Amino acid sequence: MTYEETKQKLAEFMEYGDPDAASKLVAEYNLPAIALFEESLQIFTEKTIQKHLSNVIFFLNDYSTYYDACTFEDAWKGLDDFFGYFFIRKCMWSTPATIKSTAASIKKFYKCMVDNQLFDARAYDMLTTHIKENMPIWQDECEAYNNFDEDYDFGDF
């Protein structure tokens, strides 16, 4: 199924109130891209491969399918919500270091998609710039959340 066909089907599922079908459709659509990414990682150790895959699958098939119901081509647009809110508050393992390593995995994934002409190079540049500019903010928010201080204003959370 093409990107446009998938987006149309997603819109139908969401219009008719079937988010589970939308999530399943997105996960199936993302599968070949994830397989291609896994293939590109074969130069690394098995531990490194599994870490990158785990990070990307969590972002694409757990967070993006259930919270945005969008394919990998559009999922990157939700990075602020993912790193700035969801990852910090919903993932017990969130630390400034895991934010950085997860972002690195996501950048590797999208670079692989660009290299295979499945993702726009200009969008990739925007993605990497966005991550670079916002990483200190996400890490600071994570640090503050993990080290709760009564005087910290969590109004932005």
Side-chain angles (χ1 to χ4, degrees):
M1 188 176 288
T2 69
Y3 171 69
E4 292 303 324
E5 292 169 336
T6 302
K7 282 189 75 163
Q8 177 62 36
K9 197 75 168 156
L10 279 173
E12 291 171 17
F13 286 147
M14 298 312 282
E15 182 180 337
Y16 297 115
D18 197 350
D20 289 337
S23 295
K24 184 179 177 187
L25 175 68
V26 169
E28 288 173 8
Y29 178 84
N30 288 341
L31 211 75
I34 292 169
L36 183 64
F37 178 56
E38 181 176 15
E39 189 178 304
S40 78
L41 295 173
Q42 295 308 305
I43 62 171
F44 298 108
T45 66
E46 188 61 30
K47 182 179 177 182
T48 301
I49 292 169
Q50 290 309 311
K51 188 63 180 169
H52 285 307
L53 279 176
S54 175
N55 289 342
V56 167
I57 289 169
F58 180 71
F59 173 65
L60 292 177
N61 287 351
D62 290 326
Y63 170 77
S64 292
T65 58
Y66 289 100
Y67 290 89
D68 288 337
C70 59
T71 63
F72 75 86
E73 290 96 339
D74 296 322
W76 72 277
K77 296 172 187 171
L79 286 175
D80 271 329
D81 185 58
F82 177 69
F83 284 121
Y85 176 79
F86 178 84
F87 195 78
I88 293 170
R89 298 196 79 182
K90 304 294 185 186
C91 301
M92 289 176 40
W93 64 91
S94 70
T95 65
T98 58
I99 288 175
K100 189 171 186 170
S101 67
T102 301
S105 297
I106 290 169
K107 287 192 305 188
K108 277 190 184 311
F109 171 80
Y110 281 104
K111 177 65 171 133
C112 175
M113 296 304 102
V114 169
D115 291 346
N116 287 280
Q117 300 175 345
L118 297 173
F119 191 70
D120 183 67
R122 288 173 298 172
Y124 177 74
D125 290 341
M126 289 190 301
L127 174 147
T128 57
T129 299
H130 188 74
I131 289 173
K132 182 179 179 180
E133 290 174 353
N134 288 282
M135 181 62 65
I137 297 165
W138 299 330
Q139 288 179 312
D140 287 349
E141 288 177 359
C142 182
E143 185 71 29
Y145 189 80
N146 288 344
N147 297 311
F148 179 73
D149 180 354
E150 292 176 15
D151 295 330
Y152 188 80
D153 179 15
F154 284 99
D156 291 338
F157 285 97

